[in-house]
Structure formats: C-alpha cells, structure tokens
Amino acid sequence: MKKVILIFCVLSLLIFIRPVLGLGTNSNTSNNTLNNTTITALQVDDAPQQESVFNAAFDGIKKFYGYTGFANVTSGNLIMILIGIIFIYLGIKFDYEPLLLIPIGTGVILGNIPFVAGNQTGIYEAGSVLNYLYFGVVKGIYPPLIFLGIGAMTDFSSLIANPKLMLLGAAAQIGVFATFMGALYLGFNLPEAGAIGIIGGADGPTAIFLSSKLANGVNILADGTTVKNLIGPIAIAAYSYMALVPVIQPPLMRLLISKEDRKIKMKPPRAVTQKEKMIFPVVALLLTLFISPSALPLLGMLFFGNLLKESGRTERLADTARTKLIDIVTILLGVTVGASTQADIFITKDSLLIFGLGAISFVIATCGGLLFAKFMNRFLKGDNKINPLIGAAGVSAVPDSARVVHHEGLKSDPSNYLLMHAMAPNVSGVIGSAIAAGIILSFLG
Amino acid sequence: MKYLLINTDIISEGYVILITGLLIVFSALVTLALFFKYGLPVMLYVYKVITKRKDKKISEIKRTADKDFTGEIAAAIGTTVHLYLSDQHDHESAILTIKQVKKSYSPWSSKIYGVQNRL
C-alpha cells in the first residue's frame, strides 16, 4: 500500500513539475493571447519565465473548463437530467417497471451530460460508443431479440383454451389507428403518424421497431422532405405510459364497466395439452405472417421463442432467451433509448405533441378493449360470459395491464381471480399490435 | 399504393389505412381464434387417427383424463410452491461465528512510552 502511494506521489510530482520546468507550455495562445501579453508585459520585470508558466497553467484550466459540462450546460440538459432522476425515482420508489425505467432514466442522464461536439462523445455523433450501441435501435435489431425473450416467457395456454378472447386483443388496436388519425390531423406526415400511432399498441419494442423503420430521420418522402427522427420521443412515450398503466387504466374501468359486470366470474380455463401448446406457435406464425408479412421480425421471433419454450427439447435455448439474452438487450435498449433524448434534439414541440397523443392513444385503446368486451357479452350466454374488465388487458403492456385488471376485479369481488383470464387478451394484444405494426409498415414503409 | 400516397390528400389516405388496418388486424386474430376453436381439434383428431389407428370422436379427444386439473388447482400449487420457496430464507442456522482478526503490533497508545516511564 505504502509503495502504491509512493509511486502515485512521485508520478503526480513529475506531472506537476513539468510546466515549472517549461515543458509543454506551448499549448496556450489560442483564446487569450491578448490577455496573456498584457499581463506578461506588466510583470515582465519580475519573473517573466515564472509568470508565463502560471498564465499557461491558468489558460489550461480555462480551456479545460471550456470542455466541462458546467460551461456547456443548457436549461434543456438540466430539465432532461431532472426527468432522468424522476424516472429512476419512480422505478425505485413506486416499482413502476423498474427494469425499464432505471436503465432509461440512467440513459437520459447519460445522454444529457453537456459536452463539446466533435469529440465522438454524444449518441448522435458517428463513431461514438453510444452511437454504436444506438445502432441496434436505429436499425430495429433489439426489438426482435426482446420479442424472442418474450416468446420464451409467455404461456399462451389461456389463449388456446379460450380463443375468442383474441378478439379483445384486436379491439384494443383501435387505439393505434385512432392515434394515427390524430397525428395526421395535427400535421404529421403519414410515416411519422404511423410511428406515433403504434404507441397505442402499448408495446415498447414494437414502437421502437416501427419508429426506426418509419420516423428515423433518414427516409425521404415523395415530396422530397426527410422524415423527422422521432424514435426517442416515441420510445420514451411508449415506455412511460406502459409504466403508468396502473394509473391510467383503473379510472377508465370504473367509468365504463358497471358494478354488476365487474363482479362476473368466469369459468376456469380448461387445461391445455402440451401438443396444443406446441402446435400454437407454428400455426400462429404461419397464419399471422401470411396475413401480415411485414411483421416478420417481430412475430417470427415471438413464436420462435415460444416454440423453444414449448417444444420440451430446447429448454437451454429457451432459458437463455428468457433470462440472459432479454436482460442484455433490455439493458442496451434502455440505456440507448434513454440517451437518445439529448435535449437539443428531444425538447421540441413534436415531442410534446407525441406525449399528448400517446396518453390519448392509451385511453382509446383501453376503452376500445373494454367496450368490445361488453359488446361480446351481448352474444354470450350463461357461464360463458366474460368479465368486461379483461378487455382492458387487450392493450399489450404485458403483464402489467393483466395485473391491473386482476386487482380491479379483486376490489369488486375479493374472490374473483381474473389474472389467468386477463393474460389471454394481454398476449393476443402483443400479437395484435405486432400485426398492426406490420400493416402500417407495409402501407407506409 | 405509392400512387395513392402521392395523389390523394393525407387525411383520406389515413382513413383508408385506418379501415383496412383494423380489418386486417381483426381478420388475422379472428382467423387464429377460429383455427384454435375448430381447426385444432380436427388436427388433433387426425393425429390421433394416424398414430393410434382408432376411430374416435372429436369430443373424446378432449382432455377427459385431466378434467379436474383446472387452472385454479395449478394456481394453488403454484402459490404453495412460491410461498414455500420464499419462506425458506427465514429458517437460517442461527449460528453466529466471531472471526478473530489479528492485527500487527502498533505502539500508538502503548503505556510503556509514557512521560512517566523511563526507559
């Protein structure tokens, strides 16, 4: 220990003694030449050599200060750093999707540390480390990998047991298309509006995938203008509203569903055989992709992951996909999406509009699911009736919205367990929003 | 489609996408639902016929064997296992060990170097 300290002392002494010996003093003269000369001229009699050394040191410090965050900070940076801290706080204190909010919050802070442009520091500067990691977002590489993990985690058995609940997942996609129209009316062009609309799908990876294809700041429209880069705002909006599902959905449920309806008990789903579970990913893959081939990266990976899980022979692969792989990708995705909110690019009127539209799209999607569930109940008899609350789980946000439905059901009737039933529209919502993304992509991509 | 995009105004194009998009999403999920409602039992039946070479009705293939194994039982078992696993941590051996740490000799508060003492 003593030796280490000794070596450190000697090294630091060597470094500090360098300017005193007159080495390396030629790095000044750029900014403060005038200042230098006047000062040195004044004190030229005393000790010119020593004074110039101190001036040089002072200049060095000044120059260094020019590179620090304190000199380059803008109010936008400070606001975004505050938002990042709020994200981290929300994640830790209230447990709102901490696996997402903490990486994103940290990313927001990372992306908004003020720096001098041109040193390959920022996420938007070609060649910087963050830029390389961000590549996976811009090219839509991370979302399919996340879907692979989700597929390896998800149990589709409740959906196989009760296939009619798939319609609820489709109904909630009204939010996607309604927001799309809203964005068009607010003056966004078609591809941008398509990317904004997918926030209503309540699915972070899908939103990132679609915005990286449509609103990436690279594509050129028919009239010669370039689309805006909206990946950051869209991803942040999608993830933050997903985290806010427990806040957004319950009031809508209480507003739209009567007390009696909330108490409806559904009969337990039948047990599903392993054979059915194995057939599901293969058949669903074929059917959905033949209908919407553009959703191939997302749905292909989702059902591939599920096949790994259900085949019973590839437990190792499934285990990696649902634990390590998805964790790695979540870390990279969270941090880079967070860092993409660099204040000078993120704080615009468009971002505010996107946040507004995102909130509306969540509300519309939830209402769509709830009302469609009520509508379905008109045709169902006896114990086949469904509890309309599970319609709200049709927005994806797996598994948070299913959990919210479960809690809401318990509040009306403490013996009514809706979680299993709510998982069916929940996972079909994932499939539905991926299909919707595919459709929008095939129309506008 | 590109032709449409250029020549019609954005809003009406938006409505086209709105309607077709919703229709396609619904049709895709309806197809899936229909398949798993009606197509799958037939497939399983055919599979049974091919492998067992026995003439069985579709209704017989339905899980008669595990009828009483409902989701609720699965949930109960799951909860029990979860509670058991999370409980385990509470039963610890309760044996404390005190580790002796040897320090090298230091004379900083040694009595023999006091003012009173003469060496």
Side-chain angles (χ1 to χ4, degrees):
Chain A
M1 193 63 205
K2 270 182 192 167
K3 277 179 192 168
V4 175
I5 293 171
L6 191 75
I7 291 169
F8 180 76
C9 287
V10 171
L11 275 178
S12 49
L13 204 69
L14 278 174
I15 289 164
F16 281 113
I17 217 161
R18 228 161 58 125
V20 180
L21 294 173
L23 297 168
T25 46
N26 48 358
S27 63
N28 57 341
T29 68
S30 56
N31 301 334
N32 300 27
T33 335
L34 191 76
N35 209 1
N36 279 339
T37 41
T38 45
I39 292 169
T40 38
L42 276 175
Q43 301 170 341
V44 73
D45 307 5
D46 296 354
Q49 181 64 28
Q50 208 167 4
E51 275 313 308
S52 73
V53 163
F54 280 120
N55 280 332
F58 188 65
D59 267 1
I61 291 169
K62 248 188 176 170
K63 206 172 174 184
F64 171 71
Y65 179 74
Y67 280 111
T68 58
F70 299 107
N72 296 302
V73 72
T74 60
S75 55
N77 289 135
L78 291 180
I79 292 169
M80 290 310 296
I81 289 175
L82 190 70
I83 290 175
I85 292 170
I86 291 173
F87 271 26
I88 295 173
Y89 176 77
L90 285 179
I92 295 172
K93 176 85 179 174
F94 297 106
D95 203 26
Y96 289 161
E97 301 266 356
L99 298 182
L100 292 173
L101 284 190
I102 291 174
I104 291 180
T106 317
V108 171
I109 297 175
L110 282 181
N112 283 287
I113 301 292
F115 60 89
V116 176
N119 291 329
Q120 298 194 343
T121 322
I123 191 162
Y124 292 110
E125 289 184 289
S128 74
V129 176
L130 279 177
N131 187 259
Y132 276 111
L133 298 179
Y134 191 49
F135 184 78
V137 174
V138 176
K139 294 289 170 199
I141 297 166
Y142 296 148
L145 292 176
I146 297 248
F147 261 63
L148 180 75
I150 293 175
M153 271 184 214
T154 310
D155 186 3
F156 285 100
S157 53
S158 57
L159 196 60
I160 302 169
N162 207 349
K164 63 173 177 286
L165 297 182
M166 274 191 205
L167 295 179
L168 294 174
Q173 306 315 317
I174 291 167
V176 173
F177 292 101
T179 319
F180 170 67
M181 288 311 297
L184 284 183
Y185 276 114
L186 283 176
F188 288 98
N189 56 41
L190 280 168
E192 289 164 6
I196 295 167
I198 205 69
I199 299 174
D203 202 330
T206 314
I208 292 173
F209 181 75
L210 195 64
S211 52
S212 73
K213 297 286 174 209
L214 292 179
N216 51 9
V218 179
N219 292 2
I220 294 163
L221 296 172
D223 58 349
T225 51
T226 313
V227 290
K228 293 172 199 143
N229 182 358
L230 300 176
I231 301 173
I234 288 173
I236 296 285
Y239 277 121
S240 40
Y241 288 126
M242 270 171 71
L244 288 176
V245 158
V247 181
I248 299 173
Q249 287 198 329
L252 293 170
M253 292 176 185
R254 285 193 283 267
L255 187 74
L256 290 175
I257 308 295
S258 65
K259 272 211 167 125
E260 298 80 60
D261 279 358
R262 272 184 258 163
K263 284 182 182 156
I264 293 178
K265 276 193 182 171
M266 295 172 69
K267 64 173 182 190
R270 68 170 173 84
V272 174
T273 58
Q274 193 61 28
K275 218 174 277 166
E276 284 173 291
K277 284 188 187 174
M278 282 186 236
I279 293 170
F280 179 81
V282 179
V283 171
L285 177 86
L286 290 172
L287 283 180
T288 52
L289 287 184
F290 268 77
I291 292 170
S292 174
S294 310
L296 188 134
L298 295 176
L299 288 175
M301 288 305 231
L302 180 76
F303 292 126
F304 172 47
N306 193 242
L307 184 62
L308 288 181
K309 172 176 180 277
E310 303 297 358
S311 72
R313 304 277 179 190
T314 47
E315 197 44 44
R316 275 178 49 180
L317 301 186
D319 199 45
T320 307
R322 72 168 152 256
T323 52
K324 304 290 181 295
L325 182 68
I326 199 170
D327 288 354
I328 293 169
V329 181
T330 306
I331 290 170
L332 294 176
L333 187 77
V335 170
T336 47
V337 161
S340 71
T341 61
Q342 206 173 296
D344 50 340
I345 288 164
F346 188 76
I347 300 185
T348 55
K349 202 184 96 204
D350 287 341
S351 301
L352 280 180
L353 285 178
I354 289 171
F355 268 79
L357 282 167
I360 296 168
S361 74
F362 256 67
V363 171
I364 296 174
T366 308
C367 294
L370 289 169
L371 293 176
F372 196 80
K374 274 177 94 168
F375 175 72
M376 274 173 78
N377 252 357
R378 289 174 177 255
F379 302 96
L380 299 170
K381 297 271 176 309
D383 63 348
N384 272 328
K385 270 193 185 300
I386 55 173
N387 189 321
L389 285 180
I390 65 168
V395 305
S396 336
V398 182
D400 242 27
S401 57
R403 232 181 276 154
V404 169
V405 169
H406 181 68
H407 280 296
E408 234 13 71
L410 282 182
K411 271 185 205 162
S412 312
D413 178 357
S415 65
N416 197 2
Y417 301 102
L418 289 174
L419 189 63
M420 293 267 281
H421 304 287
M423 275 318 281
N426 213 192
V427 291
S428 78
V430 176
I431 302 173
S433 54
I435 296 174
I439 295 162
I440 294 176
L441 196 59
S442 61
F443 268 99
L444 306 171
Chain B
M1 193 43 67
K2 283 277 187 284
Y3 179 79
L4 264 176
L5 286 180
I6 296 161
N7 287 304
T8 51
D9 74 307
I10 275 185
I11 299 293
S12 58
E13 176 64 18
Y15 276 107
V16 172
I17 295 175
L18 169 82
I19 293 161
T20 46
L22 269 180
L23 273 179
I24 297 171
V25 172
F26 264 96
S27 64
L29 287 171
V30 166
T31 325
L32 265 187
L34 286 180
F35 179 82
F36 284 99
K37 187 90 184 159
Y38 303 107
L40 193 62
V42 176
M43 264 179 81
L44 289 176
Y45 173 65
V46 172
Y47 181 76
K48 271 248 151 110
V49 170
I50 294 170
T51 50
K52 296 268 171 76
R53 303 215 172 265
K54 271 182 194 168
D55 200 24
K56 277 188 175 179
K57 286 175 192 164
I58 295 178
S59 56
E60 281 174 37
I61 300 158
K62 280 191 179 167
R63 297 120 293 267
T64 42
D66 44 12
K67 208 178 213 171
D68 5 275
F69 188 76
T70 59
E72 278 166 345
I73 295 171
I77 295 172
T79 319
T80 326
V81 171
H82 175 74
L83 284 177
Y84 172 70
L85 288 177
S86 56
D87 244 19
Q88 275 191 331
H89 187 72
D90 289 345
H91 304 292
E92 285 189 346
S93 61
I95 298 169
L96 293 178
T97 44
I98 298 171
K99 197 175 171 189
Q100 198 180 4
V101 181
K102 281 192 175 171
K103 282 182 182 167
S104 53
Y105 169 75
S106 156
W108 75 272
S109 67
S110 178
K111 300 287 181 293
I112 57 166
Y113 298 117
V115 195
Q116 308 286 330
N117 297 336
R118 303 239 162 84
L119 290 172

